[in-house]
Amino acid sequence: MDTEQQTAVIIGLNLDNEQFEYSMTELAALAEANNLEVVARLVQKLDHPDKATYFGKGKVEELKMTVLDKDADMVIVNDELSPSQIRNLEKQTETKIIDRTGLILEIFANRARTHEAKLQVQLAKLQYQLPRLHTSASQRLDQQTGSGGGGFTNRGSGESQLELNRRVIEKDISHIKQELKDIQKSDLTQRKQRDGKNIPTVALVGYTNAGKSTIMNQLVNRYGENQEKQVMVKNMLFATLDTSVRKLIFDDNKTMLLSDTVGFVSKLPHQLVKAFRSTLAEAANADLLVQVVDEADENKELMMKTTEQTLKEIGVENIPMITVFNKADILDEPRPQRAGDNLIMAALEEDSIDELVQIIRENSYKDYVTEEFLIPFDKGDIVNYLNTKANVLSTEYVAEGTKVKAELTAVDSERFKQYLINN
Ligand SMILES: Nc1nc2c(ncn2[C@@H]2O[C@H](COP(=O)(O)OP(=O)(O)OP(=O)(O)O)[C@@H](O)[C@H]2O)c(=O)[nH]1
Ligand SMILES: [Mg+2]
């Protein structure tokens, strides 16, 4: 464990962007999420970033003085910088410079738990590092790029150290990509098996820390096929890095698959979005999205915008979405309060969850039909099937067999159509 917390100066360039203030606040939260203490905050307003140092000359000087004054361990810049900008700033301020992308990558690396998440983060990190290898011939490959790649067998053959480093990283990248492909192939098989069963799938999406996992747990608690399968909830950015899927079974036997996904943040590095694309595919394959918004956050409008942009970026489009404004208890707003398919709610309150379930169900079981069947006595397995898979409204034993009135999917109705009683 760290003995002493490291300190950072954060700095941002305002290019007359309405989201600037919010992105700086978020940068501070990201730094804290990585266990850094923010000791100063600098901003500069410019029309264009400086090619060489991103910030203007005077600001770089001020930055250097601030670092000295606060005895800061590093500087965190609010945007992704070019490799040479980072080097120039490091030279001029004599301090370690981390850009927003590097910081987010670090947080993800520290949070990743499963093998798949670790590989995805490592892939994103290597892709970030590749164009950032220093040209200096004496530069050694960072140890952290690791994972069993190559080695330096070609040393002395005339290639530069840089070229060797690049090749090691490229080899690692293709290794990891292959391993991810293998993992994801088996995921795909599982998904296909589920899809075959024709169960509606619902995905919780939205900004990090909005309450997605809390809602997931509430629903699993009540309707989960396996109530113990809770997911982690924490008051921190990026608590969830893995998509979890749980099966819910309601009292009327209707089922659904619910997935909890990685949270978003503004300017999510494209390397990460790319690396996590398949984890997020769970959302892309959903029949319904539930966007969870932190109603108590003053930046919720921007957060919703970011969520919608990120969904588009990962190819999630044209899926029906309902929006829930969570944490209404913090503002003490009347709740649950429904407007169309949207809801103001509080995840830990029972009546809010009831209302949410109601909305999700209304949107998920549209193709259910109510039918009456007459099933011969020697087809007891069909009666059993209906009792477990359909919502049986009445059962009556008559001379010819069992009369069952049930609400069921159109697919099931078609399957047993030979036993339908035609009005
Ligand atoms: N007051 C209040 N707190 C809530 C509510 N819902 C969630 N929280 C808290 O908000 C924090 C974040 O909740 P999570 O469920 O982990 O959020 P998440 O959306 O899964 O976050 P990521 O996994 O980082 O994307 C936790 O401390 C929760 O206890 C709510 O309705 N009201
Ligand atoms: Mg979560």
Side-chain angles (χ1 to χ4, degrees):
M1 279 278 102
D2 297 352
T3 43
E4 210 170 287
Q5 199 178 21
Q6 296 224 303
T7 55
V9 173
I10 63 172
I11 178 165
L13 189 62
N14 187 354
L15 301 166
D16 206 17
N17 178 345
E18 55 150 359
Q19 301 196 9
F20 178 73
E21 276 307 318
Y22 148 69
S23 74
M24 283 299 287
T25 307
E26 199 176 60
L27 186 68
L30 287 167
E32 279 159 28
N34 217 18
N35 199 27
L36 297 166
E37 187 194 347
V38 176
V39 289
R41 176 186 186 277
L42 297 182
V43 300
Q44 181 173 35
K45 214 169 161 163
L46 282 182
D47 295 332
H48 306 284
D50 185 276
K51 265 214 175 76
T53 53
Y54 201 69
F55 302 97
K57 225 189 183 120
K59 198 46 86 172
V60 176
E61 198 51 42
E62 186 186 341
L63 179 61
K64 184 178 177 177
M65 297 315 293
T66 309
V67 166
L68 271 176
D69 184 40
K70 300 282 181 186
D71 194 23
D73 297 306
M74 70 194 79
V75 169
I76 302 173
V77 182
N78 194 26
D79 295 292
E80 185 171 318
L81 301 191
S82 76
S84 66
Q85 284 168 335
I86 292 188
R87 278 200 303 279
N88 291 336
L89 279 175
E90 283 189 336
K91 222 178 276 163
Q92 293 187 26
T93 61
E94 293 166 30
T95 317
K96 181 171 157 191
I97 305 282
I98 297 176
D99 65 6
R100 188 183 179 100
T101 300
L103 179 65
I104 295 177
L105 285 171
E106 273 311 309
I107 299 173
F108 270 65
N110 291 333
R111 299 270 200 272
R113 289 287 168 269
T114 63
H115 187 52
E116 185 178 10
K118 283 182 183 160
L119 287 174
Q120 286 170 322
V121 175
Q122 206 183 358
L123 177 62
K125 267 180 110 171
L126 291 174
Q127 278 166 338
Y128 173 73
Q129 279 170 4
L130 194 57
R132 286 174 173 72
L133 289 176
H134 289 203
T135 39
S136 140
S138 61
Q139 177 75 25
R140 291 288 133 113
L141 180 64
D142 281 13
Q143 306 98 304
Q144 82 249 26
T145 56
S147 130
F152 296 90
T153 45
N154 267 348
R155 207 201 294 249
S157 69
E159 287 180 285
S160 70
Q161 186 69 45
L162 173 70
E163 193 49 39
L164 284 173
N165 289 350
R166 192 190 308 281
R167 281 183 29 207
V168 170
I169 291 192
E170 279 170 350
K171 208 166 161 191
D172 279 351
I173 287 179
S174 72
H175 247 102
I176 294 175
K177 276 188 174 163
Q178 187 53 48
E179 202 174 331
L180 279 171
K181 230 188 232 164
D182 294 342
I183 295 176
Q184 287 154 6
K185 222 187 273 164
S186 63
D187 283 355
L188 196 70
T189 323
Q190 282 176 10
R191 197 172 294 135
K192 277 206 179 121
Q193 279 166 358
R194 287 201 306 258
D195 287 352
K197 288 188 190 135
N198 203 32
I199 300 177
T201 61
V202 177
L204 296 161
V205 297
Y207 228 73
T208 175
N209 213 41
K212 298 178 295 300
S213 300
T214 308
I215 291 176
M216 170 91 156
N217 283 344
Q218 290 285 75
L219 292 170
V220 169
N221 245 331
R222 285 216 217 167
Y223 304 109
E225 181 179 42
N226 186 344
Q227 271 109 338
E228 296 93 75
K229 282 186 142 181
Q230 300 272 308
V231 296
M232 180 175 73
V233 167
K234 252 193 173 163
N235 189 15
M236 66 180 188
L237 301 179
F238 304 120
T240 304
L241 286 194
D242 305 290
T243 300
S244 328
V245 183
R246 300 286 184 267
K247 186 172 181 182
L248 305 183
I249 307 173
F250 297 109
D251 301 337
D252 58 2
N253 285 335
K254 288 186 180 135
T255 58
M256 82 172 35
L257 292 170
L258 180 70
S259 54
D260 181 25
T261 60
V262 179
F264 302 146
V265 76
S266 72
K267 300 195 250 189
L268 198 61
H270 65 96
Q271 300 92 336
L272 269 179
V273 171
K274 240 176 112 185
F276 276 80
R277 199 178 286 249
S278 94
T279 307
L280 289 162
E282 209 59 57
N285 291 317
D287 301 304
L288 176 71
L289 300 180
V290 176
Q291 178 181 193
V292 184
V293 179
D294 182 347
E295 170 74 350
D297 195 304
E298 57 178 349
N299 290 307
K300 66 179 176 192
E301 298 291 337
L302 292 169
M303 292 170 157
M304 289 169 69
K305 230 192 234 171
T306 300
T307 298
E308 278 148 38
Q309 274 165 8
T310 312
L311 285 172
K312 218 183 244 174
E313 209 180 320
I314 55 173
V316 179
E317 272 179 293
N318 304 320
I319 298 179
M321 180 159 86
I322 63 179
T323 304
V324 302
F325 299 90
N326 190 35
K327 306 197 187 183
D329 53 312
I330 295 177
L331 303 179
D332 205 17
E333 284 181 310
R335 62 197 181 271
Q337 194 184 315
R338 182 173 172 173
D341 280 339
N342 297 338
L343 179 67
I344 297 176
M345 62 168 284
L348 295 170
E349 296 174 5
E350 206 161 312
D351 44 353
S352 280
I353 296 296
D354 286 340
E355 195 66 42
L356 175 64
V357 166
Q358 176 76 17
I359 298 177
I360 292 177
R361 285 172 48 100
E362 281 171 25
N363 281 280
S364 299
Y365 300 120
K366 286 182 174 149
D367 68 335
Y368 268 62
V369 290
T370 301
E371 302 282 12
E372 205 170 1
F373 300 92
L374 177 61
I375 309 199
F377 286 122
D378 63 344
K379 300 279 185 209
D381 51 330
I382 298 179
V383 178
N384 279 342
Y385 179 91
L386 292 174
N387 278 326
T388 51
K389 301 282 175 176
N391 181 23
V392 172
L393 303 169
S394 68
T395 307
E396 191 188 337
Y397 300 99
V398 295
E400 302 84 357
T402 313
K403 246 185 178 177
V404 180
K405 190 172 176 184
E407 197 190 355
L408 72 183
T409 64
V411 173
D412 276 346
S413 167
E414 179 66 21
R415 214 167 131 192
F416 304 123
K417 71 172 176 209
Q418 66 177 118
Y419 306 112
L420 272 176
I421 300 173
N422 294 317
N423 311 314

